[in-house]
Amino acid sequence: MTDLHRFTLKQLRHFLAIAECPTIHHAATRLNLSHAALAGSLTELEEQIGLQLFIRRRAHGVALTATGAELIAYCRAVISAADELQAKTAGKESAYSGRLVIDCYTTLAPFLIPALIAGFRRRYPAIELEIFDGSAELILARLHEGRSEFALLYDFNLTATIESDPLYTVRPRVLLPAMHRLASKRAVDLKDLTKEPLIQYDVAPALENMQLIFKNVGVEPRIGRRVKSVELIRALVGRGLGYGILLQPPPGNTTYDGMQVVIRDILRCTVSFNVVLARSRYVKPSQRSRDLRKLCLESCVIGELKSAPASRKKRLSR
């Protein structure tokens, strides 16, 4: 019979570190341990619980087994509860410590993450805040696997297994070269751009979002280049190589290579997108999680208000 009581919190922390890194070597470096010590800790944990958590492949790092993926959320809950208990017994109910992983959709990160980090640093200086930014598809997979506690993303294609808190709403806007024939207009009809190439942001779910926008105004776009950087879109537009559609345009009008662009509203477009703070329904929130969720909501809204145009500030303050 497996002796379950012998595995330790340290082993669980080691397990999570390995799950979050591409190789055991990377995890060992993060934990300031030797490769041998961390690999030995993992082996002991697997022997104690009688389950294989990773597939180890030379030159290819480690990969979670299905069982290992299922255990991540439970391990996070155990460690969170242990940290909370330690804080309470030390008489510091609000002095949380440990690591917190928050994911953020890549285009939202520059707008929300700085305020979030600053808020955590002031309120919970002992918490190590780890940020992961990527596509919505990858972020949702990480939430389901318990790799992150919260995620900041658009509410597009969220499944029933995800709970979310609304933060604010954005509307799509069109990006044009400053010298474009339509640049002087306050709002642009996309049908006037059908002969020009759309520079498509190519990180999920941007393509589906774009299809929804053009369907809403009854226009079929001519797709040009597909890129994975908002700043590259701005630079290409600045050079007159097409136009872009952005949900979170940076406030400046100058591109990295010194060209000028303008951002304009879209005529007849009634589509909007909500930015939310998401979490998995499978993970039971601890008091620590509830407090940190509250701080996430406060920090993200404050950060958005600082960077939002006046028209959006008015909507957010309602």
Side-chain angles (χ1 to χ4, degrees):
M1 183 175 179
T2 304
D3 191 1
L4 291 177
H5 73 276
R6 290 182 58 189
F7 73 81
T8 66
L9 287 174
K10 181 182 291 187
Q11 288 174 328
L12 296 185
R13 294 183 193 277
H14 291 172
F15 162 64
L16 287 179
I18 296 170
E20 294 162 359
C21 293
T23 66
I24 294 179
H25 176 75
H26 283 82
T29 301
R30 193 177 82 181
L31 295 172
N32 199 25
L33 293 173
S34 69
H35 181 284
L38 187 56
S41 176
L42 173 59
T43 298
E44 289 177 3
L45 176 61
E46 289 179 324
E47 290 176 351
Q48 292 298 330
I49 64 177
L51 298 169
Q52 182 179 359
L53 303 176
F54 293 94
I55 298 172
R56 309 188 202 192
R57 300 168 295 181
R58 289 187 178 181
H60 294 284
V62 293
L64 278 164
T65 63
T67 300
E70 288 178 1
L71 290 181
I72 288 180
Y74 295 103
C75 287
R76 285 198 185 283
V78 169
I79 290 173
S80 177
D83 289 341
E84 186 176 335
L85 176 61
Q86 184 177 19
K88 287 182 179 293
T89 56
K92 303 176 182 179
E93 295 192 17
S94 62
Y96 295 129
S97 61
R99 293 177 61 254
L100 177 67
V101 182
I102 297 179
D103 291 359
C104 188
Y105 185 58
T106 185
T107 60
L108 294 174
F111 296 90
L112 300 181
I113 294 304
L116 188 61
I117 293 176
F120 268 82
R121 183 172 293 174
R122 288 192 300 269
R123 184 79 172 270
Y124 302 113
I127 286 183
E128 179 188 352
L129 189 61
E130 182 173 321
I131 304 297
F132 172 88
D133 67 288
S135 69
E137 182 180 15
L138 183 54
I139 286 174
L140 289 174
R142 286 170 53 87
L143 277 179
H144 289 310
E145 294 171 0
R147 290 175 179 266
S148 58
E149 196 155 352
F150 301 109
L152 296 158
L153 71 170
Y154 293 108
D155 63 348
F156 194 78
N157 282 346
L158 295 186
T159 67
T161 62
I162 298 295
E163 292 184 346
S164 63
D165 298 294
L167 295 177
Y168 60 94
T169 300
V170 295
R171 292 187 180 279
R173 306 178 79 196
V174 62
L175 183 73
L176 299 170
M179 299 302 293
H180 193 277
R181 58 189 171 83
L182 302 176
S184 61
K185 295 180 176 291
R186 296 183 61 181
V188 173
D189 195 328
L190 292 183
K191 71 179 182 180
D192 294 330
L193 294 170
T194 53
K195 295 182 179 180
E196 301 181 35
L198 167 67
I199 302 174
Q200 170 72 52
Y201 182 60
D202 198 23
V203 176
L207 181 58
E208 293 176 87
N209 290 348
M210 206 63 61
Q211 291 171 342
L212 186 63
I213 293 166
F214 279 91
K215 182 178 180 180
N216 179 254
V217 296
V219 173
E220 186 71 26
R222 174 190 162 200
I223 303 297
R225 297 180 184 273
R226 298 174 184 267
V227 301
K228 299 183 183 297
S229 164
V230 168
E231 285 302 332
L232 182 53
I233 291 177
R234 281 164 43 82
L236 292 172
V237 169
R239 290 286 177 177
L241 300 175
Y243 68 99
I245 303 290
L246 299 179
L247 298 185
Q248 292 266 175
N253 292 327
T254 304
T255 66
Y256 277 3
D257 60 346
M259 306 305 289
Q260 296 296 305
V261 293
V262 296
I263 194 79
R264 296 291 183 257
D265 291 332
I266 300 175
L267 282 176
R268 301 182 291 110
C269 183
T270 59
V271 173
S272 63
F273 300 88
N274 297 314
V275 177
V276 300
L277 179 69
R279 59 198 182 280
S280 172
R281 292 182 184 272
Y282 293 139
V283 180
K284 182 179 179 180
S286 63
Q287 183 60 48
R288 171 181 180 267
S289 294
R290 289 191 288 269
D291 287 350
L292 297 181
R293 169 175 161 263
K294 181 179 179 182
L295 182 58
C296 283
L297 294 173
E298 292 173 352
S299 298
C300 291
V301 171
I302 290 172
E304 171 59 15
L305 282 169
K306 285 181 179 178
S307 61
S311 60
R312 284 168 64 197
K313 288 183 181 182
K314 185 175 181 179
R315 291 199 305 270
L316 287 167
S317 63
R318 290 175 182 172

